[in-house]
Amino acid sequence: MASRHLSRSIAMQSLYEWDFYGKKNEDLPKIVERNIKNFGPGLEDTGFVWQIVKGVTEHLEKVDKIIEKAAPEWPLQQITIVDRNVLRIGLVELLYANQDEVPPKVAINEAIELAKTFGGENSGKFINGVLGTVYNEMDKNRKTEK
């Protein structure tokens, strides 16, 4: 497994646990460290895991509002914890990452792969739909700015 994909997997598992237990920020560093140790023993650079986790926690409110807008028929608390956190990771990469490092389509594809690995039967399609909606909106905004 490529190290960036493994890093995303570890970040997703950590954010899942953090979300499941009530999003207590003081618990997150311990959760991430334990998951790096358990799931990424050969991972040389853990910086990308921390970058994703930090991005999600820093932009949580904005990202959650974007999810609610892009998937209005799905209240945030009704979205499974896996799907909710995969969307958060995907949106942080899509909106806040350096697009030379993580092009938008790579961010979307990686999120879909996480959803297929950790989510339910329809998670990949759901993630693709929500992130695709956000990407198309971004694309429209870019075109109108020109």
Side-chain angles (χ1 to χ4, degrees):
M1 184 183 294
S3 64
R4 282 171 101 45
H5 184 75
L6 178 59
S7 294
R8 286 181 183 95
S9 296
I10 292 168
M12 200 291 300
Q13 289 169 295
S14 300
L15 290 165
Y16 174 96
E17 184 176 340
W18 173 72
D19 193 355
F20 184 83
Y21 287 110
K23 295 189 292 219
K24 296 177 188 139
N25 286 335
E26 65 273 9
D27 294 343
L28 192 54
K30 290 180 277 189
I31 292 168
V32 174
E33 285 296 337
R34 182 174 24 83
N35 285 337
I36 288 171
K37 184 179 172 191
N38 290 338
F39 302 118
L43 192 62
E44 291 177 21
D45 181 15
T46 61
F48 191 55
V49 175
W50 290 105
Q51 182 182 332
I52 293 168
V53 169
K54 185 178 180 194
V56 169
T57 56
E58 283 181 0
H59 301 289
L60 186 65
E61 264 186 62
K62 290 177 193 168
V63 167
D64 282 355
K65 285 180 181 168
I66 292 168
I67 294 169
E68 289 171 345
K69 185 177 177 190
E73 63 283 351
W74 286 96
L76 197 61
Q77 293 308 313
Q78 286 184 11
I79 298 173
T80 67
I81 298 174
V82 167
D83 291 355
R84 187 166 57 228
N85 285 290
V86 169
L87 283 170
R88 288 170 175 159
I89 291 168
L91 286 169
V92 163
E93 287 199 279
L94 194 59
L95 300 171
Y96 302 106
N98 178 341
Q99 292 195 353
D100 292 333
E101 280 183 36
V102 184
K105 293 190 179 188
V106 171
I108 293 169
N109 286 336
E110 284 292 327
I112 292 167
E113 289 305 312
L114 284 175
K116 287 179 180 178
T117 301
F118 296 103
E121 187 178 321
N122 296 314
S123 292
K125 291 177 186 172
F126 178 67
I127 300 300
N128 186 34
V130 174
L131 294 180
T133 297
V134 173
Y135 176 73
N136 290 336
E137 191 64 32
M138 289 169 53
D139 204 34
K140 260 194 266 178
N141 291 339
R142 268 194 297 274
K143 288 177 183 173
T144 58
E145 289 173 2
K146 289 182 180 180

